[in-house]
Amino acid sequence: MSEQLKFLVEQLNREPFKKNFNLITFDSLEPMQLLQALNDVLAEIDPKQAIDIREEMPEQTAKRMFTLLGMLKYKPPGGMSEASSFRQGLVMGSKPVVHPILHWLLQRIPELKKRAYLARFLVKLEIPAEFLQDDIIAETYHQYEELVEGFKNIHKECEQLKSSGFSTAEIRRDIVAMEEEKDQLIKRVERLKKRVEAVSNHQRMLELARQLRVEKEREESLAHQKQEQKNQLFQAEQRLQRCQIQLKDLQQAGADEKPESLMKRLEEDIKFNSYMVSAKLPRELENMRKVVQYLQKVASEPAMGQAELRELEDKIRETNTEINQLIEKRMMRNDPMDDKLSLFRQQAAIIVRKKEAKVEELQEAREELAAVERELNMKSSQARERGGVELIRGDEFKRYVAKMRGKSSAYKKKRQEIAELKVEYGVLQRTEEILRERHTAGQQQLQSLEAQQGISGYSDTQEELERVSAIKSELDEMKGRTLDDMSEMVKKLNSVIAQKKSALSPLIKDLRALRQEHAELAPEYEQKKAQYDTCAVGLESNRSKLEQEVRVLREETAQEESRYHHINCMREIIESQMQRAADQSKINQSMDLQVRRTALREKYIANTAEQESLGKALRQQVKQVRENQEPNMRQMKMWKDLETLLECKKQCYLKAQSQAPIGHIIQDVGKDMLVL
């Protein structure tokens, strides 16, 4: 409320109102003064409302304000349910009614000025149907409607011109400049004609110059046509190249594919296109038409203010509340057949949404593929123009990339293996050399010992027998180890399975019980959840209603408190005035003359008479001063001249006294003479 008062005071103190209010003076305005301030704001919007409401009947004032507010589409805060209280409050100049109106008006004065101006011409006259039966009246009314439509069109054109950026001053300047250029050209042509007329055979020369100009214009036209033909030829060559590339791609794609795959792909394309044409595109077109109609409807309506937007938001919230209530009622019925059908409907809706999403993804992928193909065609054409090689395209390029990728991985693997083998080969080669040297030395020593003992070749036979026995023992050990590992693994697996079964058996029993309990509690849970949702929605709506009521009651309480304090102040003032009147009445009724002389009324009367007599004497004195001003001024000037003359005589006398030997003064009655 305080912010609203600050805004009202700030706006009313600005141009063009200049009210010089503050918060205290504005809040203490009388109902008549508050209505006058409202009328001043309405007069700023519509000049016809510039009326002093003291010279008008309250009923006429209220009717005039109601009509203008209805034309400006002002809606009271309480809606139609409180229309009577709103009318009564406006007639009485109530602050809770007038302040919101002022706040709404001062927020959108330019918009309301435009609306009031248009309403003077667009609000149609209401003529009873029986009067329209007359042909003259009907024809006149038809002409009136045509004029209204014409005004609408002209106003729209005017607004478009205002918003287009054209300026009448600039257009006038351009017209003046063009007229000046035209005059200069006419004068120049006249001078050239005069100069040419002096030349012999000037008609022939003018004709040749005209033909030359025509030929030059024709040459420019032919050059322009030639350039257009070149551009068309270049575009045709580009189209031909694209078509050749597409043909080559199709041939390459068809060379490696079978007829069955081609037919399958064509069938998929046909299905996709038929779905797009029969289902998706008509639905999108219908949605776009609805959007266009809605936008046209919005554009045709006048601009909406914050209050109207808030009203629409309130309606949307009410509609959503009604929808939630209907959903709750439908859930309360709990029809099993409807539940089954709703499940199937939900599944069908999910499938349809998934299908639409996949179609959109496919369409986007196709568009992206087409864009990439266009870019590739452009790049290949540029490469061919610059003398480059033919690019590999389509499936051939994919096969080539896959082949190169496999070869690259195999090459890297082989190269790594070769490097490892080279390192290992170097190590083994050095080890082999060392071992060969040791073996050669050992063999030579053994052969020498065998030769000394007479058993040459014994070592070779012994080595062969040891090698065979070692191989046999290794094989036997490997077989036994393998059997032991397998039996140990089987024992471990059996023990683990037994442990898991023993650990899971109580859990399985608990799970069965819990499943049965879940099956029993699921319907109850659904029912309780539905009841909870219903109760929550109801409580939420009740809470919002109670909050609204509390807000209204708080505002009313604040208003009543301010009214209470105002009434108390007025009561105290009236009581003091009544006390003074009672005291004065007692003094007037008293029979004591001394008391009556000291009465306040007698003092006021005496003071008034004294002041009136003093004012009368002062006025008389002013009148005498004005009448005697000129004679007094002349007399004052004469006295100043006399003073100057006497001063001059004094100076002469003093000078004569100082020069006494030169002459003497003879004084006679009425005259003075100086004798030299």
Side-chain angles (χ1 to χ4, degrees):
M1 187 65 70
S2 61
E3 295 295 331
Q4 186 180 17
L5 286 177
K6 289 180 181 177
F7 175 77
L8 295 178
V9 171
E10 182 181 357
Q11 294 296 323
L12 290 173
N13 289 338
R14 292 180 179 176
E15 291 285 346
F17 305 108
K18 292 184 178 181
K19 294 294 185 179
N20 294 325
F21 286 143
N22 54 34
L23 292 176
I24 298 174
T25 57
F26 181 73
D27 190 53
S28 62
L29 287 178
E30 296 294 331
M32 187 64 68
Q33 296 174 346
L34 193 59
L35 286 176
Q36 184 63 49
L38 175 61
N39 191 78
D40 294 340
V41 176
L42 294 175
E44 177 64 23
I45 296 171
D46 187 5
K48 291 183 178 179
Q49 308 297 323
I51 300 173
D52 190 354
I53 61 174
R54 293 175 296 182
E55 300 175 357
E56 189 179 24
M57 296 296 293
E59 293 79 6
Q60 295 178 356
T61 304
K63 183 177 180 181
R64 178 170 55 81
M65 289 184 178
F66 287 150
T67 304
L68 184 58
L69 291 175
M71 186 174 63
L72 297 178
K73 296 184 178 180
Y74 173 75
K75 296 181 180 179
M80 298 301 295
S81 60
E82 299 181 2
S84 59
S85 60
F86 172 74
R87 294 191 184 93
Q88 186 178 1
L90 184 59
V91 172
M92 300 299 294
S94 177
K95 294 179 183 179
V97 176
V98 178
H99 284 180
I101 297 175
L102 285 172
H103 187 265
W104 186 81
L105 293 174
L106 293 173
Q107 279 182 333
R108 47 181 69 81
I109 284 181
E111 174 189 348
L112 297 177
K113 279 185 178 180
K114 182 178 179 182
R115 187 175 293 176
Y117 168 73
L118 294 176
R120 292 169 53 194
F121 305 101
L122 298 183
V123 176
K124 295 184 178 180
L125 299 175
E126 295 182 1
I127 299 177
E130 56 269 16
F131 291 165
L132 292 176
Q133 300 298 325
D134 191 356
D135 295 338
I136 298 175
I137 296 176
E139 183 178 359
T140 306
Y141 188 73
H142 182 66
Q143 293 177 0
Y144 165 71
E145 290 180 342
E146 290 179 352
L147 290 174
V148 170
E149 294 297 329
F151 174 77
K152 287 182 182 179
N153 298 328
I154 292 171
H155 180 71
K156 288 180 181 179
E157 293 176 359
C158 180
E159 292 295 328
Q160 291 175 0
L161 289 174
K162 286 181 179 178
S163 60
S164 62
F166 291 108
S167 175
T168 56
E170 293 180 359
I171 294 173
R172 289 194 184 97
R173 285 197 296 270
D174 293 340
I175 291 172
V176 172
M178 292 171 68
E179 289 178 353
E180 291 178 355
E181 291 178 0
K182 180 182 176 182
D183 295 336
Q184 292 176 2
L185 290 174
I186 291 172
K187 292 178 181 179
R188 187 175 178 183
V189 169
E190 293 294 335
R191 287 198 301 269
L192 291 174
K193 281 183 178 180
K194 290 179 181 179
R195 290 173 59 185
V196 170
E197 287 176 355
V199 180
S200 60
N201 200 10
H202 64 278
Q203 292 293 337
R204 177 64 178 169
M205 294 176 69
L206 289 174
E207 185 65 26
L208 293 174
R210 189 179 299 108
Q211 292 178 2
L212 177 62
R213 187 183 70 253
V214 172
E215 292 298 328
K216 284 185 177 180
E217 291 177 354
R218 185 180 177 188
E219 182 182 2
E220 291 178 357
S221 175
L222 292 174
H224 183 66
Q225 291 178 3
K226 182 179 179 181
Q227 186 65 32
E228 289 181 353
Q229 292 294 329
K230 285 183 179 180
N231 294 334
Q232 292 177 3
L233 179 61
F234 178 71
Q235 293 174 2
E237 289 177 353
Q238 287 185 343
R239 285 198 299 270
L240 178 60
Q241 290 177 1
R242 287 196 296 270
C243 292
Q244 289 176 353
I245 293 169
Q246 290 177 2
L247 179 60
K248 187 176 180 180
D249 294 339
L250 292 174
Q251 288 176 355
Q252 291 177 357
D256 299 333
E257 292 185 0
K258 296 180 180 180
E260 291 80 5
S261 61
L262 291 174
M263 289 296 295
K264 187 176 180 181
R265 190 172 65 183
L266 290 174
E267 287 177 356
E268 290 177 355
D269 292 340
I270 290 170
K271 288 180 181 179
F272 174 74
N273 293 327
S274 61
Y275 172 75
M276 292 290 292
V277 172
S278 61
K280 192 172 187 303
L281 292 178
R283 186 166 58 252
E284 291 181 355
L285 182 62
E286 185 65 25
N287 293 332
M288 292 300 292
R289 285 177 179 171
K290 289 180 180 178
V291 171
V292 170
Q293 291 177 359
Y294 178 73
L295 293 175
Q296 289 177 351
K297 183 178 179 181
V298 172
S300 61
E301 292 181 355
M304 300 178 67
Q306 292 294 330
E308 297 173 349
L309 291 175
R310 286 195 293 269
E311 183 180 357
L312 289 176
E313 289 175 357
D314 295 337
K315 289 183 179 178
I316 290 170
R317 284 196 291 270
E318 292 177 359
T319 306
N320 290 332
T321 305
E322 293 178 358
I323 291 170
N324 293 330
Q325 292 176 358
L326 293 175
I327 292 172
E328 292 168 4
K329 290 180 181 178
R330 185 172 63 83
M331 292 174 66
M332 291 292 291
R333 289 187 309 188
N334 198 11
D335 191 355
M337 185 60 67
D338 291 341
D339 293 339
K340 293 180 181 179
L341 292 176
S342 63
L343 178 62
F344 291 124
R345 290 194 191 97
Q346 291 177 358
Q347 293 178 354
I350 293 170
I351 292 170
V352 169
R353 285 196 294 271
K354 288 183 178 179
K355 185 177 180 182
E356 292 178 353
K358 294 299 180 183
V359 168
E360 291 179 356
E361 291 178 1
L362 178 59
Q363 190 174 1
E364 291 177 356
R366 287 191 173 186
E367 292 176 355
E368 185 177 358
L369 178 61
V372 172
E373 287 179 351
R374 286 195 298 271
E375 186 176 0
L376 180 61
N377 293 331
M378 183 176 66
K379 297 293 184 183
S380 60
S381 61
Q382 291 178 359
R384 282 195 299 274
E385 290 175 359
R386 295 173 181 176
V389 296
E390 183 68 23
L391 297 176
I392 301 173
R393 296 173 51 81
D395 297 334
E396 186 178 356
F397 180 76
K398 293 179 182 178
R399 289 193 297 272
Y400 175 77
V401 170
K403 185 177 178 182
M404 291 300 296
R405 195 173 293 161
K407 287 183 178 181
S408 176
S409 61
Y411 168 74
K412 292 178 181 179
K413 186 176 180 181
K414 296 295 182 184
R415 188 174 62 180
Q416 186 178 2
E417 290 177 358
I418 289 170
E420 293 175 355
L421 289 172
K422 283 182 179 180
V423 174
E424 188 177 359
Y425 173 75
V427 175
L428 292 174
Q429 191 175 11
R430 178 60 181 164
T431 305
E432 185 182 5
E433 290 176 358
I434 296 170
L435 292 175
R436 279 181 181 178
E437 291 175 358
R438 292 180 181 179
H439 180 68
T440 303
Q443 286 292 331
Q444 291 176 359
Q445 186 178 2
L446 182 62
Q447 287 176 4
S448 64
L449 289 173
E450 287 178 352
Q452 291 177 3
Q453 298 294 329
I455 52 173
S456 299
Y458 177 79
S459 61
D460 295 333
T461 305
Q462 186 67 28
E463 287 177 1
E464 186 67 20
L465 290 173
E466 289 178 358
R467 187 176 64 82
V468 172
S469 63
I471 291 171
K472 184 177 180 300
S473 63
E474 287 177 1
L475 290 173
D476 294 337
E477 185 180 359
M478 187 181 297
K479 288 180 181 179
R481 191 166 58 248
T482 304
L483 291 173
D484 293 335
D485 293 338
M486 291 178 66
S487 61
E488 187 68 25
M489 187 179 294
V490 169
K491 289 180 181 179
K492 287 182 179 180
L493 290 173
N494 290 330
S495 63
V496 169
I497 290 169
Q499 291 176 2
K500 295 294 183 183
K501 283 184 178 179
S502 61
L504 289 174
S505 58
L507 296 176
I508 291 171
K509 292 180 181 179
D510 295 337
L511 179 62
R512 289 175 182 172
L514 290 173
R515 283 181 177 174
Q516 186 176 2
E517 186 177 358
H518 174 267
E520 293 174 358
L521 293 176
E524 185 178 358
Y525 166 76
E526 295 294 334
Q527 184 179 3
K528 296 294 184 182
K529 186 176 183 299
Q531 293 177 0
Y532 168 77
D533 294 337
T534 305
C535 183
V537 172
L539 292 175
E540 183 67 23
S541 62
N542 292 333
R543 185 179 65 82
S544 61
K545 290 180 181 178
L546 291 173
E547 287 180 353
Q548 183 70 20
E549 291 178 358
V550 168
R551 193 181 301 111
V552 173
L553 290 174
R554 284 179 178 175
E555 293 178 357
E556 291 179 355
T557 303
Q559 295 172 4
E560 293 298 331
E561 285 181 357
S562 62
R563 184 181 175 188
Y564 169 73
H565 293 304
H566 179 70
I567 290 172
N568 280 339
C569 294
M570 294 297 294
R571 181 177 59 79
E572 291 177 359
I573 293 170
I574 291 171
E575 286 178 355
S576 63
Q577 291 178 355
M578 290 177 65
Q579 185 66 33
R580 288 175 60 188
D583 294 340
Q584 185 66 30
S585 177
K586 289 179 180 179
I587 291 170
N588 291 333
Q589 292 175 3
S590 177
M591 299 302 294
D592 191 357
L593 295 177
Q594 188 65 26
V595 175
R596 293 186 66 181
R597 289 192 186 95
T598 59
L600 184 61
R601 183 171 61 83
E602 296 295 336
K603 288 182 179 180
Y604 286 163
I605 292 172
N607 290 334
T608 303
E610 184 180 357
Q611 293 297 325
E612 286 180 355
S613 60
L614 181 60
K616 187 174 180 181
L618 291 173
R619 285 194 295 271
Q620 187 68 27
Q621 187 177 356
V622 169
K623 184 177 179 182
Q624 292 177 0
V625 169
R626 287 178 180 175
E627 291 177 354
N628 299 327
Q629 183 180 5
E630 292 182 1
N632 291 336
M633 291 296 292
R634 286 196 300 271
Q635 188 176 4
M636 185 175 67
K637 186 178 180 183
M638 291 171 65
W639 279 107
K640 285 183 178 181
D641 293 341
L642 179 60
E643 184 180 3
T644 304
L645 181 59
L646 292 174
E647 185 68 27
C648 183
K649 284 185 176 183
K650 179 181 177 183
Q651 293 295 332
C652 292
Y653 176 75
L654 293 174
K655 188 176 181 181
Q657 289 292 333
S658 63
Q659 297 177 359
I662 299 174
H664 62 280
I665 298 173
I666 300 173
Q667 294 183 350
D668 197 357
V669 179
K671 58 183 178 178
D672 295 334
M673 291 186 299
L674 178 61
V675 180
L676 300 176

